[in-house]
Amino acid sequence: MEIIQFDTQQELDSYAARYITNLVKEKPQAVLGLATGSTPIGIYDKIVQIHNDERVSFKQVTTYNLDEYVGLQPQNDQSYAYYMNSHLFSRIDIVAEQTHLPNGMADDVEAECIQYDKMLAEQPVDVQLLGLGHNGHIGFNEPDQNLSGGTHVVKLKQETREANARFFDSMNDVPEYAVTMGVGSILKANTIILAVRGADKAQIVKDALTGPITTSVPASLLQTHPRVIVLLDREAGRMLN
Ligand code: GLP
């Protein structure tokens, strides 16, 4: 596990964006695993800037997002589909049909999960971008006695709904369920970039990276992966030193 600490958020964003765009330059048909939340927004802005300044094309790139809320239409501005379109997809030359998110509106969500895993098996992720929840969740894999390997429906923990309520008009609007790639699917990526910022994540960063490997801290399973690059700002990394 390579851990890199940055003095500023901008440096962290630039590093991650440069890593991803360099991959796309070297491998135009790259498969990217993408994340949502507030942390990747600056990374996506920087990717758009590099796309514009250096004409890095995403026409042949395929993307798979980690997760989506159940019950939100893609047009809902709180859906992760909407987030991805506004922060990245509509700002680069990616082909819409090559961008994938779990479908939280499917009539048969279970079948949708199986289909998502099938597509992931056919197009393995080259680099997976990840954020970190305050309780150690990755994607929406919440702490539990058991974790699911593949894509599945999860009931969100109260603390996760509260953490994400800031994006919604009220707590009641925060969905109770989500569809997420499983930890098993996430760990199949060739390379994983975990980006974390902020003092409020310092303890969970320490637990995830240096504590025991346990399903009660889903991110701790990243310790079992051979190629994880952890990008931290000063505050998120302050308990590691
Ligand atoms: C959500 C997402 C996660 C994300 C986490 C942290 O729960 N499902 O993928 O990593 O939030 O988000 P933030 O970066 O806003 O702290």
Side-chain angles (χ1 to χ4, degrees):
M1 190 176 269
E2 185 183 359
I3 300 176
I4 310 175
Q5 295 198 40
F6 298 91
D7 285 335
T8 66
Q9 177 65 35
Q10 287 75 12
E11 288 171 77
L12 188 160
D13 294 341
S14 294
Y15 186 98
R18 186 54 72 186
Y19 190 98
I20 290 168
T21 49
N22 279 350
L23 171 71
V24 172
K25 278 184 196 168
E26 279 162 29
K27 185 177 178 185
Q29 296 184 331
V31 180
L32 305 179
L34 299 177
T36 50
S38 54
T39 308
I41 292 176
I43 297 174
Y44 295 145
D45 285 343
K46 195 73 196 165
I47 288 175
V48 171
Q49 194 190 323
I50 296 172
H51 160 75
N52 288 329
D53 293 351
E54 300 173 29
R55 297 174 186 232
V56 182
S57 174
F58 286 74
K59 275 192 182 140
Q60 298 181 67
V61 167
T62 298
T63 65
Y64 286 93
N65 262 77
L66 285 167
D67 46 16
E68 178 59 286
Y69 289 113
V70 168
L72 297 190
Q73 299 277 3
Q75 305 88 298
N76 184 310
D77 63 6
Q78 293 311 327
S79 73
Y80 286 163
Y82 189 96
Y83 168 112
M84 288 310 303
N85 278 325
S86 52
H87 289 295
L88 186 65
F89 298 155
S90 67
R91 303 165 73 198
I92 57 177
D93 61 347
I94 199 160
V95 178
E97 290 70 29
Q98 287 160 209
T99 66
H100 306 281
L101 286 96
N103 178 4
M105 292 300 295
D107 290 335
D108 186 345
V109 183
E110 302 299 333
E112 177 73 18
C113 291
I114 292 168
Q115 178 60 21
Y116 206 69
D117 284 336
K118 200 166 157 242
M119 290 193 296
L120 279 166
E122 283 163 10
Q123 294 184 297
V125 169
D126 291 299
V127 62
Q128 174 70 57
L129 184 59
L130 282 184
L132 180 64
H134 291 96
N135 61 8
H137 73 225
I138 47 176
F140 268 133
N141 292 278
E142 297 279 38
D144 209 337
Q145 283 186 331
N146 300 298
L147 294 176
S148 302
T151 304
H152 61 287
V153 177
V154 283
K155 184 165 170 55
L156 300 175
K157 297 248 182 211
Q158 183 65 9
E159 67 240 35
T160 297
R161 293 185 66 233
E162 280 165 11
N164 289 352
R166 65 199 145 119
F167 301 115
F168 291 82
D169 289 338
S170 81
M171 185 65 194
N172 287 341
D173 294 330
V174 185
E176 288 185 34
Y177 291 89
V179 188
T180 183
M181 271 166 65
V183 174
S185 327
I186 293 171
L187 291 174
K188 283 189 188 133
N190 180 275
T191 301
I192 295 174
I193 296 179
L194 175 69
V196 196
R197 57 178 196 170
D200 53 326
K201 301 254 179 91
Q203 181 65 52
I204 196 64
V205 163
K206 185 178 179 211
D207 294 346
L209 305 188
T210 67
I213 298 172
T214 165
T215 59
S216 15
V217 182
S220 68
L221 274 92
L222 296 173
Q223 294 180 41
T224 66
H225 191 282
R227 271 194 62 74
V228 177
I229 306 169
V230 184
L231 309 180
L232 305 172
D233 72 358
R234 219 182 344 215
E235 289 77 20
R238 72 174 181 192
M239 292 180 76
L240 293 180
N241 303 313

